[in-house]
Amino acid sequence: MPSTQTICRIVGPTIALLVYWACRGGIGLDHSASMTAAVTAWCAVWWCTEAVPIPVTSLIPFAVFPFAGVLDHAQLASTWGDKFILLFMGGFMISRAAEHSNTHLRVAHGVLRLVGMRSNRRIIIGFMLATAFCSMWISNTATALIMLPVAIAVIQQNAARGAEGDRFAVGLLLAIAYGASIGGVATLVGTPPNGVMAAVYESEFGRTIDFLSWMKVGMPVAVLMLIACGVLLTVRVKGAGQQTDGSLGPWTPAQRRMLTVLIITAALWITRKLPGGLGGWSVWLDMPKAHDATVALLVVVALFLIPSGERDHGGRRRQLLDWKTACDIPWGILILFAGGLAIAKAFAVSGLAADVGDGLQRVTDGLHPILIIGLICLLVTFVTEVTSNTATTALLMPILATAGMTAGIDSALFMVPAALSASCAFMLPIATPPNAIVFGGSNQITIPKMVRYGVILNLIGAVVITLVCYAVLSPETGLGGSALPMAEQLSQP
């Protein structure tokens, strides 16, 4: 009997053929639009079921579109060099340098000391904030992996004292899983769905979402979600904390230098463009073509040049980053980015975007934008409980871009909430890597417990994202135009 994986491998292209037939013969779309719809359906099936590795599925558009005459190789090649792919490649390498020197652990330890450990509630809040802060800048998966053993040690010490056990343990472990996901929504490099949204948005409309612009939406969402998560996880937790010797020893030269580099990098990202007519360094230095990716790649080169203060076994000086460490990044995510951009380009070139937009206009006609945003948030949040959040984002962005244009408003009003919601799946272990790490690595979290907390946080997240995005991005509120350069009406309804 064929395995489930084998069946899914057959189902994907079969559904693609059925979609092509339905679009071509049933709806009457032309060949290019029908083929784009078919390839998108094929990718959706294989992304959702992981019939083959997700990066492999992401290669399908590059293999099929030239044969089908939808896109040529020059159009497809441009997606690989997209500035947001370069930004994430550089960001991944910077985060690997931070992990290599344990600088991120230093930062987490500093946050814990700042919050204090005088009560169990403070311990949970401290771990959540430390995890969230690190996840703003480095991989949420790496952050969860680093924080988990520290949390397990604290739980064991708590149990040895005969203190409250289960509620504290569950709260602390979920604080790591949820904190890693929430922290990632705050910055453009915090989690891949953010980059997918920004890349598709620029590809479709020619307008760049810079680092600071994203933080104006992502940071309020992250702060409100951390408050809600902290209350939810600690409301029934009691007991005094513990004074543990959390010393990591003296700071090493590599850690001091890496922390300096991280601070400078963040400052350059945030100040490249400033609001209120202040310009930013790209304006002051007359560098209009500089991008956040430019900063990331420049910093990566610098990391290969800055000595770490250590020597290898041969007595040679080490730098803060070496190629063995730098190349150990999730290249598959970058392939997924490119595949999503290829599908987005095919939507536009084939005319399928306009056809989808007309259909969405008929479905959503008469609905208030805030209601549409809320429905998008709920749909994406619960869909990504069982699918890859990055793959789901890559699939939805071209459709939502078209929906915004059809509705006569900036598509960011629909695309940003979807990207944020993709990182706010808290119910199941398979929803996000941090959930899976905490569930599988601790053996102290059951699925019913994760679902009980997660479904509440999912609903809170949908409400928070809806309200924040509408308040910041909608032209109707009077805040959108001044708050974000990406939030401008494209046309009057």
Side-chain angles (χ1 to χ4, degrees):
M1 185 175 181
S3 66
T4 302
Q5 190 177 52
T6 301
I7 294 173
C8 292
R9 288 176 178 176
I10 298 172
V11 168
T14 301
I15 288 181
L17 291 173
L18 293 174
V19 168
Y20 180 83
W21 174 81
C23 291
R24 193 82 171 97
I27 303 176
L29 300 182
D30 63 20
H31 167 73
S32 293
S34 300
M35 183 58 68
T36 300
V39 170
T40 303
W42 184 355
C43 291
V45 172
W46 278 12
W47 272 335
C48 292
T49 61
E50 295 192 43
V52 299
I54 286 177
V56 176
T57 301
S58 305
L59 294 174
I60 292 175
F62 298 96
V64 175
F65 283 151
F67 281 113
V70 178
L71 297 174
D72 59 35
H73 282 289
Q75 292 170 309
L76 289 168
S78 66
T79 64
W80 291 97
D82 185 88
K83 62 185 71 176
F84 287 99
I85 290 182
L86 297 178
L87 171 62
F88 266 77
M89 183 179 71
F92 286 149
M93 290 183 179
I94 293 170
S95 72
R96 288 296 293 122
E99 295 169 36
H100 188 64
S101 61
N102 281 331
T103 305
H104 61 319
L105 193 57
R106 284 284 186 183
V107 173
H109 184 253
V111 175
L112 286 173
R113 292 186 62 182
L114 181 65
V115 175
M117 302 182 72
R118 293 191 297 272
S119 71
N120 284 340
R121 287 183 177 178
R122 278 179 173 262
I123 293 173
I124 292 174
I125 296 296
F127 268 84
M128 183 183 68
L129 293 179
T131 304
F133 184 79
C134 289
S135 187
M136 289 169 59
W137 312 103
I138 68 173
S139 161
N140 55 10
T141 302
T143 303
L145 285 169
I146 290 297
M147 297 299 292
L148 180 60
V150 182
I152 291 176
V154 172
I155 291 170
Q156 291 172 344
Q157 292 177 9
N158 212 50
R161 295 189 302 116
E164 180 187 15
D166 186 61
R167 287 179 184 171
F168 171 72
V170 171
L172 183 57
L173 293 169
L174 291 181
I176 292 174
Y178 296 165
S181 295
I182 294 171
V185 308
T187 65
L188 194 57
V189 297
T191 186
N194 301 355
V196 172
M197 181 270 149
V200 172
Y201 185 80
E202 180 165 349
S203 174
E204 294 288 331
F205 306 112
R207 284 181 282 171
T208 298
I209 300 176
D210 58 73
F211 205 86
L212 183 59
S213 294
W214 182 272
M215 289 185 71
K216 289 178 180 177
V217 183
M219 189 61 76
V221 170
V223 169
L224 292 173
M225 287 299 296
L226 287 172
I227 293 173
C229 184
V231 172
L232 180 66
L233 295 179
T234 62
V235 66
R236 300 180 67 185
V237 174
K238 300 177 182 179
Q242 51 189 296
Q243 296 298 324
T244 60
D245 181 14
S247 175
L248 298 175
W251 280 72
T252 65
Q255 290 170 342
R256 289 194 296 267
R257 294 169 190 178
M258 190 66 225
L259 181 61
T260 301
V261 170
L262 290 175
I263 293 173
I264 292 173
T265 304
L268 289 174
W269 276 336
I270 293 170
T271 61
R272 181 173 67 87
K273 287 186 177 180
L274 295 175
L278 296 177
W281 61 261
S282 63
V283 176
W284 304 333
L285 301 177
D286 192 24
M287 296 180 176
K289 295 184 179 181
H291 184 263
D292 293 330
T294 316
V295 174
L297 297 178
L298 183 63
V299 170
V300 169
V301 173
L303 289 173
F304 278 95
L305 301 175
I306 300 173
S308 67
E310 302 172 351
R311 294 181 181 271
D312 60 19
H313 296 298
R316 295 183 296 267
R317 288 184 178 181
R318 290 180 174 176
Q319 282 67 46
L320 290 178
L321 185 61
D322 57 66
W323 183 244
K324 182 179 179 181
T325 302
C327 69
D328 185 23
I329 65 172
W331 295 100
I333 293 294
L334 303 182
I335 297 175
L336 176 57
F337 271 144
L341 289 174
I343 289 176
K345 187 178 289 290
F347 261 72
V349 172
S350 69
L352 182 60
D355 296 323
V356 171
D358 291 339
L360 286 173
Q361 185 180 29
R362 289 192 292 270
V363 172
T364 61
D365 188 36
L367 293 180
H368 193 278
I370 197 170
L371 181 58
I372 299 175
I373 296 171
L375 293 174
I376 290 172
C377 291
L378 286 172
L379 173 65
V380 175
T381 296
F382 285 96
V383 165
T384 52
E385 289 288 352
V386 293
T387 64
S388 162
N389 57 0
T390 309
T392 301
T393 307
L395 190 66
L396 288 177
M397 287 302 115
I399 298 172
L400 295 176
T402 303
M405 287 191 293
T406 305
I409 60 177
D410 191 337
S411 297
L413 190 59
F414 297 156
M415 297 169 71
V416 173
L420 294 171
S421 298
S423 297
C424 292
F426 305 105
M427 287 173 53
L428 298 175
I430 62 172
T432 63
N435 286 11
I437 289 166
V438 168
F439 177 81
S442 67
N443 293 320
Q444 298 190 53
I445 299 287
T446 63
I447 290 181
K449 289 177 181 177
M450 185 173 281
V451 169
R452 186 167 66 247
Y453 287 99
V455 69
I456 297 173
L457 209 54
N458 276 9
L459 296 174
I460 292 174
V463 173
V464 167
I465 293 171
T466 298
L467 295 178
V468 170
C469 288
Y470 185 73
V472 176
L473 296 175
S474 174
E476 296 178 15
T477 65
L479 298 177
S482 60
L484 289 177
M486 60 180 171
E488 302 169 356
Q489 270 192 304
L490 296 179
S491 61
Q492 293 298 326

